Amino acid sequence: MTSAALLLPANALGRHQLKVAFVGTHGVGKTTLCFDLAAQLKRLDLGVDIVKEVARRCPLPINEDTTFDAQAWILHTQIAEEIEAAAQYEVVVCDRSVLDNYAYLVASAGRQPELEPLVLQWVRSYHTLFKVPVTAAPTFDGKRAVSPAFQRQIDEIIEELLHRFGVEAVRLDPEARADWTNAALRALRLPLSPPQIDLFRGAT
């Protein structure tokens, strides 16, 4: 185990692990943040995996045309991939959380009381959620919607769900986008860079 791994929370079995997720509407930079944070964590000699946005692989409609079945597939696939990653890596960085996935379902079909206990239970499995703010309208990336109104609608639902479920999230400063990765590391109480090795220690 590396020295940085000892800074991670310990679970009931004494294993030091961390699972974080970037939450927010589409087109706000979550994916870039995931890769940037993962790269920084790997420099600390931590084993890191990224759970990428599963909606991009959904065989059913997404965005404004999504359905209950599509969002159920996305939500349960997200959970399954998080379980798989956590079984193998010290740190799991998630591009979205189950809360985000549920927000799109609420936008399409309204609240689903039968799913909310699962969403609430699973959202508590993240050690830290980072709320990524809207700083610009979405641009076309081949998959996600580009409607600013739809982008804002999802962001508002996510905020409502955070409040309803009583979930705390670290809110990234929209005026300090260049510092978001370092802000995440500071919130996790992890060093911003690997410790320097004194090559001359013990030399005579």
Side-chain angles (χ1 to χ4, degrees), residues 2 4-6 8 38 41-48 90-91 190:
T2 65
L6 293 174
L8 304 179
L41 293 170
K42 286 180 180 180
R43 291 189 187 100
L44 299 178
D45 200 23
L46 292 168
V48 184
E90 293 169 314
V91 182
L190 292 173

Side-chain angles (χ1 to χ4, degrees), residues 70-92:
Q71 292 306 136
W73 184 94
I74 291 168
L75 190 150
H76 289 93
T77 302
Q78 174 91 25
I79 291 174
E81 295 197 359
E82 289 181 18
I83 292 172
E84 181 179 359
Q88 303 175 67
Y89 294 89
E90 293 169 314
V91 182
V92 178

Side-chain angles (χ1 to χ4, degrees), residues 5 11 20 57 62 75 92 101 122 124 130 153 159 191-192:
N11 61 21
V20 303
R57 306 194 308 276
I62 63 170
L75 190 150
V92 178
N101 299 330
W122 200 257
R124 289 172 176 163
F130 294 98
Q153 179 190 14
E159 291 287 2
L192 303 185

Side-chain angles (χ1 to χ4, degrees), residues 44-100:
L44 299 178
D45 200 23
L46 292 168
V48 184
D49 194 21
I50 298 175
V51 175
K52 301 178 182 67
E53 186 180 14
V54 299
R56 294 184 176 277
R57 306 194 308 276
C58 181
L60 300 167
I62 63 170
N63 299 318
E64 295 98 327
D65 298 322
T66 195
T67 63
F68 177 90
D69 286 348
Q71 292 306 136
W73 184 94
I74 291 168
L75 190 150
H76 289 93
T77 302
Q78 174 91 25
I79 291 174
E81 295 197 359
E82 289 181 18
I83 292 172
E84 181 179 359
Q88 303 175 67
Y89 294 89
E90 293 169 314
V91 182
V92 178
V93 179
C94 303
D95 185 349
R96 292 199 175 280
S97 73
V98 293
L99 189 83
D100 307 59

